[in-house]
Amino acid sequence: ASLPAPAAAVTPPAPPPPEPPRPRSAQLPSGFYNPMPGGVMAGYQADTGLDIAGSPRPVYALAAGTLDYSEPGHTLWTGPSDTANCVRFQLDAPIAWKGRLITHVYYAHLSQLASVQHEGEAPRRHVEGGELLGVSGVARHSPHLHIGLLLDGEVEQYRGTFLLAGDVRKVLGGYRNGEVLPRGPAGEAW
């Protein structure tokens, strides 16, 4: 009887190449990451968050956290010219504010998302401060990003559960309407 031929050696597959570094924004003097380099501070004092104006620009996480969602929906502005992508994430390190805690950040009106995380989907993805989240979009014919800071773990957004625009400005470093956020690390114009 003849013996079977020896099995050929199996070479394990090569590991996947490392991911290229993702674009990141620089830190602002306040210690937070720049949410929209080159964007112009806009909006009005009693808004439910801060508007940063500018034609489509990259949008970044102002601090590290875990995504609750990054998907279409979660906004009242759903007209034919509105971009309806939103991102909300829970901060790794809540921010003390006047005896309360800022626990979540909400971004609205994005035209593109860097990744999709459906609400309630596990596992929730972690984002680093300064990590690219998407591209700003439009609401009510105005190109801008809306940023909301939510208090004490309450994410339903009714009066008293979020900071108004003027307080969001203070948290980010006291920027006034018309001021332009710094451009990228080398001054590039995106």
Side-chain angles (χ1 to χ4, degrees):
S2 64
L3 296 171
V10 175
T11 305
E19 283 190 35
R22 293 182 174 188
R24 297 192 66 179
S25 69
Q27 281 186 298
L28 298 170
S30 63
F32 295 104
Y33 287 87
N34 191 338
M36 195 168 114
V40 179
M41 291 295 173
Y44 59 98
Q45 181 68 20
D47 196 355
T48 60
L50 177 64
D51 289 340
I52 303 175
S55 22
R57 295 184 162 295
V59 170
Y60 300 91
L62 60 83
T66 303
L67 289 176
D68 289 335
Y69 56 76
S70 176
E71 63 183 350
H74 308 282
T75 179
L76 299 175
W77 307 114
T78 56
S81 67
D82 298 334
T83 53
N85 293 310
C86 293
V87 174
R88 186 179 72 210
F89 59 96
Q90 182 175 356
L91 293 169
D92 286 352
I95 304 161
W97 181 260
K98 297 183 179 181
R100 300 183 71 186
L101 291 175
I102 300 168
T103 56
H104 292 77
V105 179
Y106 169 76
Y107 289 6
H109 318 313
L110 281 76
S111 61
Q112 295 175 29
L113 297 169
S115 66
V116 173
Q117 170 83 46
H118 297 292
E119 187 171 23
E121 181 179 74
R124 292 170 52 207
R125 194 170 85 68
H126 188 266
V127 295
E128 296 298 326
E131 184 177 327
L132 180 69
L133 297 177
V135 176
S136 65
V138 175
R140 301 188 83 185
H141 304 285
S142 175
H144 71 282
L145 169 69
H146 180 84
I147 299 178
L149 299 181
L150 310 178
L151 298 167
D152 302 324
E154 181 55 62
V155 296
E156 293 305 317
Q157 300 185 46
Y158 54 87
R159 284 280 178 211
T161 65
F162 53 83
L163 297 186
L164 296 175
D167 286 335
V168 176
R169 290 171 195 281
K170 290 175 187 170
V171 169
L172 291 180
Y175 293 94
R176 293 187 296 255
N177 265 3
E179 284 191 77
V180 178
L181 286 169
R183 296 196 187 274
E188 62 266 31
W190 302 103

Tab-separated table of all heavy atoms in Angstrom, residues 22 67 69-71 86-87 112-118 125-127 131-134:
chain	number	residue	atom	x	y	z
A	22	ARG	N	-5.987	58.987	10.588
A	22	ARG	CA	-7.191	59.761	10.274
A	22	ARG	C	-6.916	61.237	10.502
A	22	ARG	O	-6.177	61.590	11.407
A	22	ARG	CB	-8.346	59.316	11.161
A	22	ARG	CG	-8.785	57.907	10.870
A	22	ARG	CD	-9.954	57.535	11.735
A	22	ARG	NE	-10.432	56.223	11.318
A	22	ARG	CZ	-11.525	55.681	11.765
A	22	ARG	NH1	-12.278	56.306	12.637
A	22	ARG	NH2	-11.901	54.497	11.354
A	67	LEU	N	-19.945	57.055	20.782
A	67	LEU	CA	-21.096	57.415	19.957
A	67	LEU	C	-22.393	56.805	20.486
A	67	LEU	O	-22.453	55.611	20.774
A	67	LEU	CB	-20.905	56.929	18.520
A	67	LEU	CG	-19.861	57.639	17.670
A	67	LEU	CD1	-19.732	56.960	16.309
A	67	LEU	CD2	-20.200	59.104	17.500
A	69	TYR	N	-25.098	57.768	18.496
A	69	TYR	CA	-25.504	57.566	17.102
A	69	TYR	C	-24.725	58.494	16.196
A	69	TYR	O	-24.196	59.518	16.612
A	69	TYR	CB	-27.009	57.757	16.886
A	69	TYR	CG	-27.568	59.094	17.325
A	69	TYR	CD1	-27.366	60.248	16.581
A	69	TYR	CD2	-28.333	59.189	18.476
A	69	TYR	CE1	-27.886	61.460	16.981
A	69	TYR	CE2	-28.864	60.399	18.883
A	69	TYR	CZ	-28.636	61.538	18.132
A	69	TYR	OH	-29.155	62.740	18.526
A	70	SER	N	-24.664	58.095	14.944
A	70	SER	CA	-24.097	58.879	13.848
A	70	SER	C	-24.874	58.408	12.626
A	70	SER	O	-24.521	57.410	11.997
A	70	SER	CB	-22.597	58.585	13.716
A	70	SER	OG	-22.044	59.255	12.612
A	71	GLU	N	-25.995	59.097	12.343
A	71	GLU	CA	-26.935	58.612	11.337
A	71	GLU	C	-27.898	59.720	10.929
A	71	GLU	O	-27.976	60.747	11.590
A	71	GLU	CB	-27.726	57.418	11.882
A	71	GLU	CG	-28.592	57.765	13.085
A	71	GLU	CD	-29.330	56.558	13.674
A	71	GLU	OE1	-29.333	55.474	13.063
A	71	GLU	OE2	-29.908	56.712	14.762
A	86	CYS	N	-26.981	63.534	11.847
A	86	CYS	CA	-26.660	64.015	13.189
A	86	CYS	C	-25.733	63.024	13.889
A	86	CYS	O	-25.729	61.839	13.575
A	86	CYS	CB	-27.938	64.171	14.014
A	86	CYS	SG	-29.024	65.464	13.425
A	87	VAL	N	-24.987	63.550	14.847
A	87	VAL	CA	-24.083	62.745	15.667
A	87	VAL	C	-24.302	63.155	17.117
A	87	VAL	O	-24.399	64.346	17.422
A	87	VAL	CB	-22.599	63.014	15.290
A	87	VAL	CG1	-21.657	62.284	16.235
A	87	VAL	CG2	-22.324	62.639	13.845
A	112	GLN	N	-22.353	64.760	5.356
A	112	GLN	CA	-21.711	63.445	5.245
A	112	GLN	C	-21.289	62.998	6.632
A	112	GLN	O	-20.982	63.829	7.484
A	112	GLN	CB	-20.469	63.513	4.368
A	112	GLN	CG	-20.714	63.859	2.929
A	112	GLN	CD	-19.398	64.016	2.173
A	112	GLN	OE1	-18.394	63.396	2.494
A	112	GLN	NE2	-19.402	64.867	1.160
A	113	LEU	N	-21.247	61.679	6.829
A	113	LEU	CA	-20.783	61.093	8.086
A	113	LEU	C	-19.522	60.275	7.830
A	113	LEU	O	-19.443	59.559	6.826
A	113	LEU	CB	-21.860	60.185	8.679
A	113	LEU	CG	-23.167	60.872	9.069
A	113	LEU	CD1	-24.237	59.831	9.378
A	113	LEU	CD2	-22.946	61.803	10.254
A	114	ALA	N	-18.548	60.366	8.734
A	114	ALA	CA	-17.317	59.582	8.593
A	114	ALA	C	-17.594	58.105	8.874
A	114	ALA	O	-16.933	57.230	8.324
A	114	ALA	CB	-16.243	60.113	9.532
A	115	SER	N	-18.560	57.819	9.742
A	115	SER	CA	-18.963	56.443	10.032
A	115	SER	C	-20.427	56.466	10.445
A	115	SER	O	-20.944	57.512	10.852
A	115	SER	CB	-18.098	55.832	11.133
A	115	SER	OG	-18.318	56.495	12.362
A	116	VAL	N	-21.069	55.320	10.350
A	116	VAL	CA	-22.475	55.217	10.741
A	116	VAL	C	-22.566	54.365	12.001
A	116	VAL	O	-21.962	53.284	12.081
A	116	VAL	CB	-23.323	54.598	9.608
A	116	VAL	CG1	-24.744	54.324	10.073
A	116	VAL	CG2	-23.319	55.518	8.396
A	117	GLN	N	-23.276	54.882	12.980
A	117	GLN	CA	-23.579	54.156	14.227
A	117	GLN	C	-25.058	54.379	14.461
A	117	GLN	O	-25.484	55.506	14.736
A	117	GLN	CB	-22.767	54.716	15.398
A	117	GLN	CG	-23.177	54.193	16.754
A	117	GLN	CD	-22.559	52.852	17.087
A	117	GLN	OE1	-21.365	52.653	16.882
A	117	GLN	NE2	-23.350	51.936	17.577
A	118	HIS	N	-25.855	53.331	14.316
A	118	HIS	CA	-27.292	53.472	14.531
A	118	HIS	C	-27.574	53.521	16.028
A	118	HIS	O	-26.926	52.819	16.816
A	118	HIS	CB	-28.060	52.326	13.878
A	118	HIS	CG	-27.903	52.306	12.390
A	118	HIS	ND1	-28.433	53.289	11.578
A	118	HIS	CD2	-27.262	51.443	11.563
A	118	HIS	CE1	-28.124	53.031	10.323
A	118	HIS	NE2	-27.414	51.917	10.287
A	125	ARG	N	-19.136	52.765	19.083
A	125	ARG	CA	-17.773	53.121	18.670
A	125	ARG	C	-17.247	54.289	19.485
A	125	ARG	O	-17.963	55.243	19.751
A	125	ARG	CB	-17.757	53.463	17.178
A	125	ARG	CG	-16.348	53.522	16.602
A	125	ARG	CD	-16.363	53.622	15.093
A	125	ARG	NE	-16.496	54.975	14.603
A	125	ARG	CZ	-15.581	55.920	14.715
A	125	ARG	NH1	-14.459	55.692	15.352
A	125	ARG	NH2	-15.782	57.112	14.206
A	126	HIS	N	-15.989	54.204	19.862
A	126	HIS	CA	-15.319	55.286	20.580
A	126	HIS	C	-14.705	56.252	19.575
A	126	HIS	O	-14.171	55.834	18.553
A	126	HIS	CB	-14.226	54.722	21.494
A	126	HIS	CG	-13.640	55.753	22.385
A	126	HIS	ND1	-12.505	56.461	22.053
A	126	HIS	CD2	-14.054	56.230	23.571
A	126	HIS	CE1	-12.232	57.318	23.018
A	126	HIS	NE2	-13.161	57.204	23.956
A	127	VAL	N	-14.813	57.556	19.853
A	127	VAL	CA	-14.158	58.568	19.033
A	127	VAL	C	-13.160	59.326	19.896
A	127	VAL	O	-13.398	59.559	21.075
A	127	VAL	CB	-15.162	59.551	18.372
A	127	VAL	CG1	-16.053	58.820	17.385
A	127	VAL	CG2	-16.003	60.274	19.397
A	131	GLU	N	-11.136	63.785	16.280
A	131	GLU	CA	-11.377	62.818	15.206
A	131	GLU	C	-12.443	63.329	14.242
A	131	GLU	O	-13.447	63.909	14.648
A	131	GLU	CB	-11.825	61.485	15.802
A	131	GLU	CG	-12.007	60.390	14.773
A	131	GLU	CD	-12.374	59.060	15.389
A	131	GLU	OE1	-11.917	58.763	16.520
A	131	GLU	OE2	-13.125	58.313	14.738
A	132	LEU	N	-12.238	63.063	12.962
A	132	LEU	CA	-13.190	63.458	11.927
A	132	LEU	C	-14.512	62.720	12.128
A	132	LEU	O	-14.542	61.496	12.228
A	132	LEU	CB	-12.624	63.144	10.540
A	132	LEU	CG	-13.514	63.510	9.353
A	132	LEU	CD1	-13.620	65.027	9.229
A	132	LEU	CD2	-12.961	62.905	8.076
A	133	LEU	N	-15.624	63.479	12.178
A	133	LEU	CA	-16.961	62.899	12.320
A	133	LEU	C	-17.762	62.982	11.033
A	133	LEU	O	-18.674	62.192	10.825
A	133	LEU	CB	-17.736	63.619	13.430
A	133	LEU	CG	-17.156	63.509	14.835
A	133	LEU	CD1	-17.996	64.322	15.809
A	133	LEU	CD2	-17.064	62.060	15.268
A	134	GLY	N	-17.449	63.967	10.187
A	134	GLY	CA	-18.203	64.134	8.949
A	134	GLY	C	-17.918	65.472	8.315
A	134	GLY	O	-16.859	66.064	8.527
